[in-house]
Amino acid sequence: MRVDRLEEKNVYAKANADASNENVLLFPPLYTNHSLEDASHPVTKIINFADNIFLLAGRYVYSVSSVNFAISIDKDFGLGKEGLDMVVFNNELIVAMGETEKIWKRDTSGTWTQATNNTYAIALGVVGSELWRAESINKVSACITAPLTLASWQAKYDVGDSTSSI
């Protein structure tokens, strides 16, 4: 829209417009408010994965579509369960569930799978080609291949003491 034609009083913008280019007025982008289906847990982690944005919020993982920005529940871990952390590792979304609930993964096709053996994590981090987990209050270990398999995790290392969690 040309600035010199603004005398036509039928133009309205609710937010500040961009007038940085001479004779051009750019209005702000459309703002759409979205809300989560269950807002009882705050969003603790946001990850870009498989052309979508994933939000970790308590027992739910929400996905935000990159096409229409629609928000939907991608995974409900169930009543009494809570995702604590999530990272992308080996083109999979890995979710830490604590010391008593086995970790989960999501592949790019949308399939969720839980570890079958005692593979737990309270926090996750990727360093180079390794996935590191805090598996308990003061123990860490690393994995380079299949995080749902306990045998894939290397030796455990003690970190600090048990007075506070790592």
Side-chain angles (χ1 to χ4, degrees), residues 33-39 62 71:
N33 189 23
H34 293 283
S35 61
L36 303 178
E37 290 181 37
D38 178 356
Y62 295 92
I71 298 175

Side-chain angles (χ1 to χ4, degrees), residues 72-148:
S72 61
I73 294 176
D74 197 78
K75 179 64 179 169
D76 179 356
F77 296 116
L79 190 63
K81 313 253 190 254
E82 183 174 358
L84 300 178
D85 196 7
M86 68 180 178
V87 296
V88 175
F89 177 70
N90 285 347
N91 209 27
E92 296 173 325
L93 187 65
I94 311 297
V95 180
M97 300 293 295
E99 292 182 77
T100 59
E101 182 71 19
K102 300 167 190 166
I103 62 175
W104 283 85
K105 77 170 183 177
R106 181 193 191 276
D107 62 23
T108 55
S109 71
T111 302
W112 283 91
T113 309
Q114 189 175 29
T116 55
N117 52 16
N118 296 334
T119 308
Y120 305 102
I122 59 175
L124 299 166
V126 177
V127 179
S129 62
E130 296 179 324
L131 172 63
W132 285 83
R133 68 177 173 159
E135 60 184 71
S136 64
I137 197 166
N138 68 326
K139 291 200 182 299
V140 296
S141 57
C143 170
I144 57 171
T145 55
L148 298 188

Side-chain angles (χ1 to χ4, degrees), residues 46-74:
I46 300 172
I47 298 278
N48 187 356
F49 172 69
D51 294 328
N52 288 315
I53 296 172
F54 290 86
L55 313 169
L56 180 62
R59 70 184 263 189
Y60 299 106
V61 174
Y62 295 92
S63 65
V64 181
S65 169
S66 61
V67 176
N68 60 7
F69 301 105
I71 298 175
S72 61
I73 294 176
D74 197 78

